Amino acid sequence: MRNRYILLLLAALMFASCSDLKEEILDEQNGSDIVANEKNVGMIVAPSYAYLRDLQSRTGVWYGIETSTDEVALPTRGAAWNNPDYRSLFSHDYDPLNSYLRNTWNSFMIGLTKCNVSLQNLEKLPQTDLVKTYIAEVRFIRALCMYQLNDLFGKFPFRESTEFDYSKSPKILSRVEAVDRIEKELKEIIPTLKMKGEVPYGRITRAAAQLLLAKLYLNNQVYTGTAPTFADGAAKWQQVIDLCNEIEKSGKYVLADDYWKLYLSDNAAYSNQTETILPVIYNSAAGIGGTSWVTMSLSYNQTFGAYTNNLNGYCTTPTFLDTWDQSDPRFKDDRLKSQTGFNLGFLVGQQFDVKGNPIRTRTPDDGLLIYTKEFSLTNSSEGAGVRVIKYAPDPNTTYPGSSENDFQYYRYSDVYLMRAEAKFRSGNIDGALADINELRGKRRVNLIDKADFSLTKIYNERGFEFYWEGSRRNDMVRFNKYCEPRYEKPKETPTYKILFPIPTSALEANPLLKQNEGYVSQ
């Protein structure tokens, strides 16, 4: 028990570095006194907040979600990245033993547990306004974990924070039961959560819960209908529109004039001033840096500053690349090119160092480093695959193994695109076009003509706006794109694979949990 309280203390110190919470020296010898003191409420919620950083994990959540789509691939390059679990996610040959799906499942289950522990301790404190606010924030994080488990796996074990008899197995929530439970949770906490500006940047706000509830409604047909079109599911488009309207009417958020400023290494202030609704905070100096996407994506010799250990991994696919008008400012930006040698966004063709010299591959005989559109999932050359740098590096960093950028988990632009989709699907074409064109105008992209407007345009716009941010799989399922053949996945995916398999380890741990239809337990 004492170890758990020490972990709470350590987590609180990290949380304090990212908010206005003040660090205090506490008596770690008596953990029960720590969690019984309202002054330590920040410490109690810290593990739940710290969990949010797992949403960007390349060994679990982010990787498991993104590499099953057309946005991200991790090809085998000789002996490098030679892992069948990487390839099977991309090709949709995954099974219950896939380690990255196991990590994704475990991550969200750990998130649920951390939230329940926080809630158990918070509920023992005097129920002041401060404590009630923190309870609502932790319940949001728990709802987010439930939402993702339901979206990806379709069922999961769940125990309320008030259930202390661990000799009893937790209830297994079906997909429909989970939707009802998540909706109930969010509706209860929205009135208690504070508005932006009433709590420090990085804390959960009312708009974050409203946006998550809108996402639940946006996907309600998927969660209640039959794959692959889900046309028989219950639509809740008006509820989506109403929630998006409430966020807009709050007046707390504006669309950013400078898209790429949202992704710079020092993006906190600008994000807070404009459209960020739910950031995940990083601070390398405090030991809580994010994944170094630059290192993971760039080829070995594409070095600059302290970035000297690149791993030549991730790329995007021709399928996704072909959806783009490459004059879209979101496709590339040159503001750091003089310091790094490359543009932000998509890196295509010959690569250059900071002095403008062409870079060669690691093996000189292979020639120039040219990022090509095509790649082989099983046997790629060093330059195969167009690279993506969505989160900008800090050219002067002394922490090249991590990223400083706050992760943009929810942004105000999603309000416009969710509302546009809900309006379009409910027959309000003019209203949908107005929303998408307002966003495109801010992004300095040509507006869409009504004659050319379609659901596909909305689907593509979501890709342009949110690529590599973790929403692509959910979008592909809702727009009936997930099972379609694509580059290096030539066959139609069976519809049962829209749900990931329940990991074997989870089935072994809970005999009440049953495998999703179509999969063979291993």
Side-chain angles (χ1 to χ4, degrees):
M1 181 66 73
R2 180 175 178 271
N3 288 339
R4 191 183 83 178
Y5 292 128
I6 292 174
L7 289 174
L8 285 169
L9 174 62
L10 293 174
L13 298 183
M14 290 191 294
F15 188 48
S17 70
C18 303
S19 70
D20 287 348
L21 299 176
K22 295 181 179 179
E23 176 184 341
E24 295 183 25
I25 305 301
L26 302 173
D27 177 15
E28 68 178 42
Q29 300 298 321
N30 191 342
S32 60
D33 287 346
I34 293 174
V35 296
N37 188 337
E38 185 187 348
K39 293 181 179 179
N40 301 327
V41 64
M43 177 188 303
I44 296 172
V45 304
S48 299
Y49 264 96
Y51 165 75
L52 290 173
R53 299 188 186 103
D54 221 35
L55 297 173
Q56 203 190 18
S57 168
R58 73 173 184 87
T59 59
V61 173
W62 185 91
Y63 186 87
I65 294 173
E66 281 288 278
T67 57
S68 63
T69 76
D70 62 351
E71 278 191 347
V72 182
L74 185 53
T76 298
R77 304 178 190 276
W81 306 109
N82 186 10
N83 185 328
D85 283 356
Y86 296 151
R87 297 190 294 270
S88 65
L89 274 171
F90 184 85
S91 64
H92 291 185
D93 293 316
Y94 39 76
D95 61 33
L97 293 175
N98 188 285
S99 60
Y100 292 93
L101 295 184
R102 182 186 67 234
N103 292 347
T104 300
W105 170 275
N106 288 345
S107 171
F108 291 123
M109 293 303 299
I110 290 169
L112 290 180
T113 301
K114 287 184 174 182
C115 289
N116 273 349
V117 172
S118 293
L119 290 171
Q120 287 165 4
N121 288 307
L122 287 170
E123 287 158 2
K124 296 175 184 176
L125 297 174
Q127 295 301 293
T128 63
D129 181 67
L130 176 65
V131 171
K132 289 178 180 178
T133 299
Y134 272 122
I135 287 175
E137 292 173 18
V138 173
R139 289 177 67 187
F140 167 85
I141 298 170
R142 184 174 66 174
L144 178 59
C145 291
M146 289 193 284
Y147 170 84
Q148 288 286 13
L149 280 166
N150 200 41
D151 186 67
L152 299 172
F153 297 96
K155 67 180 77 164
F156 57 92
F158 179 72
R159 195 187 302 274
E160 299 288 352
S161 62
T162 53
E163 296 180 53
F164 295 100
D165 187 355
Y166 296 101
S167 66
K168 295 182 180 179
S169 297
K171 177 181 174 60
I172 307 299
L173 293 183
S174 69
R175 201 165 213 196
V176 173
E177 288 173 331
V179 168
D180 291 342
R181 180 64 184 80
I182 296 163
E183 180 184 29
K184 177 178 180 291
E185 184 100 301
L186 292 171
K187 282 184 171 180
E188 287 177 356
I189 66 174
I190 283 172
T192 304
L193 287 167
K194 302 298 184 183
M195 303 284 280
K196 175 184 175 181
E198 295 177 341
V199 290
Y201 170 77
R203 292 265 299 276
I204 306 300
T205 60
R206 184 176 302 171
Q210 290 170 321
L211 197 150
L212 178 55
L213 184 57
K215 283 188 175 293
L216 187 73
Y217 291 144
L218 187 70
N219 292 283
N220 202 68
Q221 270 196 321
V222 173
Y223 300 151
T224 59
T226 306
T229 64
F230 307 103
D232 58 336
K236 293 193 173 183
W237 309 127
Q238 189 57 50
Q239 289 91 326
V240 176
I241 295 167
D242 291 344
L243 283 161
C244 291
N245 287 343
E246 287 180 28
I247 296 172
E248 181 182 37
K249 289 176 182 177
S250 74
K252 299 292 185 179
Y253 305 93
V254 295
L255 293 172
D257 292 315
D258 186 343
Y259 180 78
W260 284 105
K261 201 169 180 180
L262 294 167
Y263 300 95
L264 296 179
S265 59
D266 56 346
N267 61 344
Y270 187 71
S271 298
N272 191 35
Q273 292 164 8
T274 55
E275 63 182 72
T276 301
I277 292 176
L278 178 57
V280 180
I281 293 177
Y282 289 101
N283 184 334
S284 295
I288 47 175
T291 297
S292 179
W293 300 112
V294 171
T295 298
M296 298 302 300
S297 299
L298 295 185
S299 190
Y300 311 109
N301 287 346
Q302 199 165 10
T303 60
F304 63 99
Y307 291 90
T308 59
N309 189 31
N310 297 331
L311 299 175
N312 196 39
Y314 298 112
C315 65
T316 193
T317 75
T319 304
F320 183 59
L321 206 63
D322 286 345
T323 66
W324 279 84
D325 170 1
Q326 296 190 15
S327 67
D328 188 324
R330 294 169 292 190
F331 187 82
K332 62 178 293 188
D333 182 89
D334 289 340
R335 71 186 64 196
L336 296 180
K337 199 168 186 177
S338 64
Q339 297 172 272
T340 64
F342 56 85
N343 58 270
L344 303 177
F346 295 85
L347 279 58
V348 184
Q350 175 64 55
Q351 299 301 296
F352 299 89
D353 63 22
V354 293
K355 296 181 180 179
N357 302 312
I359 300 173
R360 301 188 68 85
T361 57
R362 184 165 63 173
T363 304
D365 292 342
D366 290 347
L368 297 172
L369 179 61
I370 300 173
Y371 290 147
T372 62
K373 187 177 177 180
E374 294 76 19
F375 63 87
S376 165
L377 188 62
T378 58
N379 187 25
S380 274
S381 63
E382 184 176 331
V386 169
R387 310 306 160 89
V388 176
I389 302 297
K390 185 69 178 281
Y391 283 89
D394 175 3
N396 301 310
T397 188
T398 56
Y399 302 98
S402 64
S403 60
E404 190 75 8
N405 327 61
D406 290 350
F407 186 45
Q408 305 284 341
Y409 198 73
Y410 285 160
R411 290 191 288 113
Y412 187 48
S413 56
D414 209 0
V415 170
Y416 281 82
L417 290 182
M418 286 195 298
R419 188 170 61 189
E421 181 181 340
K423 287 178 178 178
F424 191 100
R425 291 185 187 272
S426 58
N428 183 359
I429 308 302
D430 289 339
L433 185 61
D435 274 338
I436 198 170
N437 275 339
E438 183 165 352
L439 175 63
R440 287 177 66 86
K442 275 289 186 180
R443 302 302 184 233
R444 298 178 176 85
V445 188
N446 292 334
L447 303 186
I448 299 172
D449 293 330
K450 186 174 181 178
D452 297 326
F453 193 36
S454 65
L455 272 178
T456 299
K457 291 286 187 181
I458 297 174
Y459 171 71
N460 287 340
E461 193 67 30
R462 292 192 63 83
F464 305 150
E465 183 69 17
F466 302 117
Y467 65 96
W468 282 46
E469 293 184 37
S471 66
R472 185 64 166 181
R473 186 181 192 277
N474 177 270
D475 293 341
M476 294 187 83
V477 170
R478 194 172 62 258
F479 284 87
N480 194 17
K481 302 288 186 182
Y482 186 74
C483 294
E484 290 181 353
R486 62 173 187 264
Y487 187 81
E488 285 291 89
K489 188 187 80 71
K491 295 181 180 180
E492 184 91 7
T493 299
T495 56
Y496 75 84
K497 288 203 164 185
I498 287 174
L499 286 178
F500 283 148
I502 307 297
T504 297
S505 57
L507 296 174
E508 292 173 345
N510 189 337
L512 298 180
L513 188 60
K514 304 302 179 184
Q515 185 56 268
N516 283 327
E517 183 180 348
Y519 293 102
V520 177
S521 296
Q522 296 174 298

